[in-house]
Amino acid sequence: MSFPNPATSVKLVLLGEAAVGKSSLVLRFVSNDFQENKEPTIGAAFLTQKCTIGERTIKYEIWDTAGQERFALLAPMYYRNAQAALVVYDITKPASFIKARHWVKELHEQASKDITIALVGNKFDLVEDDEEDSLRKVSVEEGQNLAEEEGLLFFETSAKTSYNVNEVFIGIGSKIPDSSANQPEAIRENNQGRIDLTSNNASGGSSGSGDCAC
Amino acid sequence: MDENYDVIVLGTGLTECILSGLLSVEGKKVLHIDRQDFYGGESASLNLSQLYSKFKPSAQKPDLKGRDRDWCVDLIPKFLMANGELTNILVHTNVTRYIEFKQIGGSYVYRNGRIAKVPSNEVEAIKSSLMGIFEKRRMKGFLEFISKYDENVPSTHQGLNLDSNTMNEVYNKFGLENGTKDFIGHAMALWSTDDYLNEVARPTYERILLYVQSVAKYGKSPYIYPLYGLGELPQGFARLSAIYGGTYMLDTPIDEVLYEGDKFAGVKTKEGTAKAPIVIADPTYFPEKVKKTGSKVIRAMCIMDHPLPGTNDLDSVQIIIPQNQVGRKHDIYIAVLSDVHCVVPKGYYLAIVSTIIETDTPHVELEPAFKLLGNRLDTLMGIAELYEPASDGASDGVYISKSYDATSHFESTTDDVKDLYFRITGKPLVLKKRSNSEEDEGLNGLE
Ligand SMILES: Nc1nc2c(ncn2[C@@H]2O[C@H](COP(=O)(O)OP(=O)(O)OP(=O)(O)O)[C@@H](O)[C@H]2O)c(=O)[nH]1
Ligand SMILES: [Mg+2]
């Protein structure tokens, strides 16, 4: 069997202070929708969305934080094999930018070395028509500098107007090397034998090694 | 953060995390606290430095390759049965999307001084080196009886009644030898003592069926295991709980447990006072409300640089040494894992040996297992006292889980989960499949 142009799966994790718009960015990307008064994330913290970039189709498996970072450390599971991360801050909230620095550091420590990280300054719509620039609290340069120091992609976005949102995901997708998509780190070498617990037939299971170990 | 909750959960071991997840999904407001700064409690998997600081704080660790976090060593070694209840819970809660599983390469048993694969069907029974030629035929007849048995078709019962005949009577009907009874009872039905022989046959029949069906599911063995170690399981259920609104606080010791009269009322921590009518906790949070079961488990974690001799270089294997085979009252279990399950760096193997202690020199009791392992680079040992709650929680609102026992799989853990669930909610646990919301489209072939 062969499928034309199979989608490569990319695990993407979201990080950032509460209420900066992490879930809103995902909602915009996945459903092209926006909710003015979005509840703190509950319920759907795992979404998938396909994204075609030139010849390649990337299937993002998007992990939202589920609020576990509020009083606790994020579980190591959250970073495990993540190939991409969005570190989000709110350009009208300086504290959220400080938090973003912290998350970048955390990613460098916890995540795999070849992870692709995008720094995202969200809520651009709030400063768009703001002549005196009084609402903007984090300048474009500050964002750019951090991104350059740490080797990150950088975008300013608005989940509300959808400004630059798709660009973030396309930018990340084009930066993820083909070989690493789908099979990060150790898994690359021993991809066989993984089983799909949710299928009723066992075909997804044993990895074609007609084995009898005796 | 002085707040009210429906339930407070103390400790992030697997039992606590499953209950926290299930109750959050049902809409309960859950606060989940752990005094330690990592998820998993006793069911965590430790990296190399955590492991050595826990078991050999003063010793020099041997020169081992790989990064610290390439090591994920389970504190409690267990495998999942492919058709078992924990697998069922994982699938029904969709926690499977956070964790990847692989098969365990083989299931072996010790008989007459050597090890061999446990035969799980008639064809394997005939090929098995565990039995002589006549015994193979008798075993074949027994396995046929198990697989053909149909409650509604009396002719398949062969004159036996599973609810009145003892298991020993069933064995004797097929003329099985004692050594064969040993491996059926201990390596397939997974009993850890011989008490079952004189009890009615049905529970043993059901356990053998679970074993046989679990093997049939993926082929190599009845067991499956999560990549990166068992510590992924509590994390997966904690995430489920958090997604449904559960609040998590790690690294948060309990300063005081509050009561109103005899009833649990809440806890005080550095974050403030949290109130709830009930608490679920592991035994370490309520030492005054638990009792010793009288059993102690010894577990030895052995680091090796070679697969287990006599297993055809399998990347992972479960070996059971039935008690009678080595003159004991409790079985010895060996779980072997390798880099294929991402728990050690490439080139290493991890063997975890465990049993219930019977003498004053427990490490000597593990000798039969050590002999099978061959050369070990290092061995770390720990002894754990097993606890259980002194009361059922009805009178004080304090629901305490049992310590993780010495069994080789999770069936007793899920029994405890179901029992706690029933005591807490007053209804049996019925697993309904979590519906995927529209944006939450199916993945991994989820329906
Ligand atoms: N004006 C404006 N508001 C936004 C934007 N993105 C999100 N919001 C609003 O900001 C609030 C928080 O958005 P969320 O998406 O829930 O933020 P979050 O980072 O997921 O928050 P947590 O889940 O609590 O960590 C909501 O009221 C959104 O409507 C944006 O681009 N512009
Ligand atoms: Mg959110």
Side-chain angles (χ1 to χ4, degrees):
Chain A
M1 287 191 298
S2 78
F3 299 97
N5 204 4
T8 44
S9 289
V10 170
K11 174 174 170 182
L12 179 146
V13 297
L14 290 164
L15 295 164
E17 200 174 61
V20 295
K22 297 180 294 294
S23 305
S24 299
L25 285 166
V26 176
L27 185 64
R28 175 60 77 191
F29 174 58
V30 173
S31 309
N32 196 19
D33 194 8
F34 179 77
Q35 286 163 15
E36 200 62 56
N37 287 308
K38 216 179 164 323
E39 300 274 307
T41 299
I42 288 183
F46 185 94
L47 301 101
T48 63
Q49 174 69 14
K50 285 193 182 142
C51 176
T52 305
I53 305 163
E55 298 276 273
R56 278 170 82 198
T57 304
I58 287 181
K59 181 173 175 186
Y60 284 112
E61 293 168 11
I62 303 169
W63 291 45
D64 201 344
T65 55
Q68 260 174 303
E69 74 286 12
R70 258 165 242 158
F71 298 99
L73 310 157
L74 275 171
M77 157 180 280
Y78 191 72
Y79 301 103
R80 192 96 70 203
N81 295 319
Q83 293 134 281
L86 295 194
V87 176
V88 186
Y89 63 95
D90 176 342
I91 58 175
T92 69
K93 297 261 154 54
S96 74
F97 187 67
I98 294 171
K99 200 71 202 263
R101 279 184 193 278
H102 159 83
W103 285 120
V104 172
K105 189 163 156 266
E106 180 92 354
L107 277 168
H108 286 320
E109 279 164 19
Q110 302 282 341
S112 70
K113 279 198 295 292
D114 44 7
I115 188 167
T116 303
I117 305 173
L119 181 67
V120 178
N122 190 41
K123 306 201 183 177
F124 182 76
D125 58 284
L126 295 178
V127 304
E128 229 171 349
D129 308 318
D130 177 32
E131 299 290 320
E132 306 94 69
D133 237 16
S134 61
L135 276 172
R136 183 190 271 278
K137 294 280 155 42
V138 184
S139 69
V140 181
E141 291 71 33
E142 280 175 279
Q144 266 167 350
N145 288 344
L146 176 60
E148 247 161 64
E149 282 163 32
E150 302 283 349
L152 323 172
L153 297 171
F154 175 64
F155 300 89
E156 287 198 342
T157 60
S158 167
K160 187 171 179 178
T161 65
S162 88
Y163 168 72
N164 245 354
V165 175
N166 280 339
E167 283 73 3
V168 174
F169 291 89
I170 292 170
I172 285 193
S174 352
K175 230 195 137 190
I176 285 176
D178 230 343
S179 58
S180 90
N182 221 1
Q183 22 195 289
E185 289 199 327
I187 298 184
R188 211 172 296 155
E189 287 168 12
N190 51 49
N191 213 349
Q192 317 126 315
R194 276 193 271 174
I195 50 182
D196 181 0
L197 292 181
T198 52
S199 70
N200 286 321
N201 62 343
S203 64
S206 53
S207 60
S209 47
D211 57 274
C212 175
C214 41
Chain B
M1 54 152 282
D2 298 347
E3 248 184 274
N4 291 312
Y5 295 85
D6 295 325
V7 51
I8 293 172
V9 184
L10 305 180
T12 53
L14 181 58
T15 306
E16 286 71 35
C17 286
I18 295 176
L19 286 165
S20 177
L22 292 172
L23 293 171
S24 295
V25 169
E26 287 178 12
K28 297 276 189 301
K29 192 173 169 198
V30 177
L31 174 64
H32 202 154
I33 303 176
D34 198 310
R35 62 167 91 84
Q36 290 176 293
D37 63 357
F38 57 88
Y39 289 87
E42 283 299 299
S43 26
S45 307
L46 301 187
N47 66 32
L48 204 56
S49 45
Q50 288 172 322
L51 186 70
Y52 273 86
S53 73
K54 186 170 169 86
F55 291 100
K56 275 195 181 175
S58 52
Q60 185 74 27
K61 45 176 192 209
D63 193 19
L64 299 166
K65 284 178 294 190
R67 289 169 305 178
D68 214 27
R69 63 183 159 100
D70 291 338
W71 296 79
C72 308
V73 181
D74 301 329
L75 289 173
I76 312 280
K78 281 179 189 292
F79 290 149
L80 288 84
M81 303 289 287
N83 241 12
E85 197 56 16
L86 183 52
T87 309
N88 200 8
I89 295 174
L90 282 160
V91 169
H92 281 81
T93 53
N94 272 346
V95 170
T96 44
R97 52 172 52 167
Y98 311 133
I99 309 172
E100 294 196 83
F101 290 87
K102 275 192 178 179
Q103 291 187 69
I104 292 299
S107 165
Y108 279 57
V109 64
Y110 179 95
R111 186 174 186 185
N112 300 333
R114 36 188 229 90
I115 55 169
K117 193 173 186 222
V118 178
S120 68
N121 58 40
E122 295 90 310
V123 178
E124 286 183 352
I126 291 301
K127 284 199 277 185
S128 175
S129 62
L130 281 169
M131 296 163 286
I133 179 79
F134 297 109
E135 184 68 357
K136 284 182 193 187
R137 289 199 200 136
R138 293 188 282 265
M139 177 67 181
K140 178 169 178 277
F142 174 77
L143 286 174
E144 271 165 4
F145 163 70
I146 296 288
S147 66
K148 299 228 169 83
Y149 183 90
D150 182 339
E151 208 56 58
N152 304 318
V153 185
S155 66
T156 65
H157 301 184
Q158 306 206 21
L160 291 164
N161 183 332
L162 296 183
D163 297 312
S164 60
N165 286 113
T166 66
M167 194 59 209
N168 209 21
E169 287 165 349
V170 174
Y171 284 147
N172 291 341
K173 159 102 186 166
F174 294 90
L176 295 172
E177 296 167 359
N178 282 340
T180 308
K181 292 178 191 175
D182 275 351
F183 84 70
I184 296 173
H186 294 261
M188 296 180 81
L190 302 171
W191 293 113
S192 52
T193 71
D194 263 351
D195 297 346
Y196 78 98
L197 281 173
N198 298 316
E199 287 161 13
V200 294
R202 185 171 302 276
T204 304
Y205 159 77
E206 281 167 357
R207 283 163 159 247
I208 297 172
L209 204 61
L210 171 62
Y211 184 96
V212 169
Q213 289 173 345
S214 292
V215 177
K217 205 157 178 194
Y218 301 115
K220 294 183 188 176
S221 79
Y223 305 113
I224 58 174
Y225 185 86
L227 295 190
Y228 303 103
L230 296 177
E232 298 297 279
L233 297 169
Q235 289 180 49
F237 286 102
R239 181 165 165 81
L240 175 72
S241 173
I243 284 171
Y244 280 85
T247 302
Y248 275 76
M249 301 198 311
L250 268 66
D251 202 8
T252 307
I254 304 301
D255 297 333
E256 193 186 341
V257 178
L258 308 173
Y259 291 92
E260 273 161 24
D262 290 336
K263 283 227 160 235
F264 175 83
V267 293
K268 259 190 198 160
T269 70
K270 63 185 179 193
E271 303 285 350
T273 300
K275 298 206 153 184
I278 58 172
V279 64
I280 301 171
D282 76 41
T284 63
Y285 287 87
F286 289 94
E288 73 287 3
K289 287 179 185 283
V290 296
K291 55 177 197 257
K292 294 177 179 173
T293 64
S295 302
K296 285 185 194 170
V297 188
I298 179 164
R299 300 183 173 104
M301 286 141 271
C302 311
I303 299 170
M304 312 191 299
D305 58 3
H306 59 84
L308 212 79
T311 60
N312 271 350
D313 294 351
L314 283 180
D315 57 42
S316 53
V317 61
Q318 161 83 58
I319 298 167
I320 292 177
I321 306 179
Q323 44 167 18
N324 289 333
Q325 295 289 321
V326 286
R328 294 174 52 76
K329 293 190 194 64
H330 300 90
D331 297 351
I332 303 174
Y333 302 104
I334 308 174
V336 180
L337 294 158
S338 67
D339 68 300
V340 164
H341 293 89
C342 308
V343 296
V344 291
K346 212 172 172 58
Y348 291 108
Y349 291 77
L350 183 70
I352 308 183
V353 183
S354 55
T355 191
I356 299 273
I357 293 175
E358 296 173 5
T359 69
D360 295 336
T361 49
H363 56 284
V364 178
E365 298 182 41
L366 301 180
E367 263 325 304
F370 292 156
K371 276 202 193 105
L372 295 175
L373 299 184
N375 186 45
R376 289 168 274 143
L377 298 176
D378 203 3
T379 303
L380 300 102
M381 287 200 229
I383 291 174
E385 182 88 51
L386 300 185
Y387 294 94
E388 61 189 11
S391 75
D392 65 6
S395 62
D396 55 5
V398 179
Y399 296 90
I400 302 172
S401 61
K402 295 179 181 168
S403 306
Y404 302 98
D405 60 20
T407 58
S408 59
H409 52 81
F410 283 105
E411 300 311 301
S412 53
T413 307
T414 47
D415 284 348
D416 196 28
V417 167
K418 286 197 260 186
D419 188 42
L420 281 160
Y421 182 92
F422 182 76
R423 274 151 41 204
I424 292 162
T425 65
K427 55 183 193 196
L429 176 60
V430 180
L431 295 167
K432 281 186 296 234
K433 186 132 181 145
R434 241 172 93 196
S435 65
N436 299 326
S437 62
E438 46 182 358
E439 73 263 86
D440 200 335
E441 65 156 85
L443 187 81
N444 297 333
L446 290 165
E447 263 112 87

